[in-house]
Amino acid sequence: MEIRIKWGYKTPKGTETVFHSEEMPAAKALLLAEDLERTGRVKNLAFIDRYDSNWSLKELKKYLKGIETEPHNITVYFDGGFNPGTNASGLGCAIYYEQSGKSYRLRRNAAAAEHLSNNEAEYAALYLSLQELELLNVHDMPVLFVGDSKVVINQMDGDWPVIEVNLAKWADRIDGKMKKLGIQPEYELVPRKNNAEADQLATQALNGIHITGTIEMLKE
């Protein structure tokens, strides 16, 4: 979860002002806030998430303690490929997350034959990632979804209307799964070169190469 710190400051002579930090991971914000409090000059310290909800220091500590053993700080890369000559689709997702003080990467792909377009394959890849999150027991958690499909990212983010009937069905299906899991989605559109891992997984699925597995990401 990304969060901002807001705090009041008072000089020894009584001059006061209010500061706002840049957005940062919640764990980092907690460390900085505790250090600020040790100065003895901080007042009305609060944390603000991306939904403009306010958290107290006590609430943030409780939240971070509660998610230590659950997957958190989750970023999902997804991509779908489509072969119009065969109507075959390849779906891929790479999920990065932290759990119990360690970092992990999950990769998964799948082949499909029932889609009608590349856009539908992209939606199916997003849904595949949600199925993997469900298997990880991810719930009541913010998740960042990263993709290179302008259609899927802009439609799921609410910037573009979903006009095509088959895509609307996928969007509704995905929204339903999000609500079931309590996922608070954030979407990021990136160039294809920045989504190379998910793209490769989708291409491998199209070529009949099945990939699934999770590894621990060791710190350098």
Side-chain angles (χ1 to χ4, degrees), residues 171-181:
D172 289 343
R173 190 178 180 188
I174 289 167
D175 278 337
K177 180 72 79 173
M178 295 276 192
K179 290 177 181 177
K180 176 186 175 184
L181 300 178

Side-chain angles (χ1 to χ4, degrees), residues 111-173:
E114 72 274 14
H115 304 138
L116 302 175
S117 67
N118 188 74
N119 286 334
E120 191 173 0
E122 294 276 7
Y123 265 107
L126 176 55
Y127 189 78
L128 173 69
S129 72
L130 283 175
Q131 290 177 308
E132 293 302 311
L133 292 177
E134 186 172 25
L135 290 173
L136 281 173
N137 197 31
V138 172
H139 59 89
D140 302 308
M141 190 75 60
V143 176
L144 175 62
F145 294 91
V146 182
D148 55 57
S149 168
K150 289 183 179 180
V151 170
V152 173
I153 294 295
N154 287 319
Q155 287 182 344
M156 291 306 302
D157 211 14
D159 294 330
W160 291 4
V162 187
I163 298 174
E164 295 182 45
V165 174
N166 61 323
L167 299 188
K169 290 180 179 178
W170 276 108
D172 289 343
R173 190 178 180 188

Side-chain angles (χ1 to χ4, degrees), residues 9 12 16 26 31 39 44 46 65 69 72 78 85 88 118 126 141 163 169 178 202-203 208 215 219:
Y9 183 81
E16 298 184 22
L31 288 174
T39 67
N44 300 325
K65 184 67 176 176
T69 58
H72 58 279
F78 70 94
N118 188 74
L126 176 55
M141 190 75 60
I163 298 174
K169 290 180 179 178
M178 295 276 192
T203 300
I215 64 168
K219 297 179 180 179

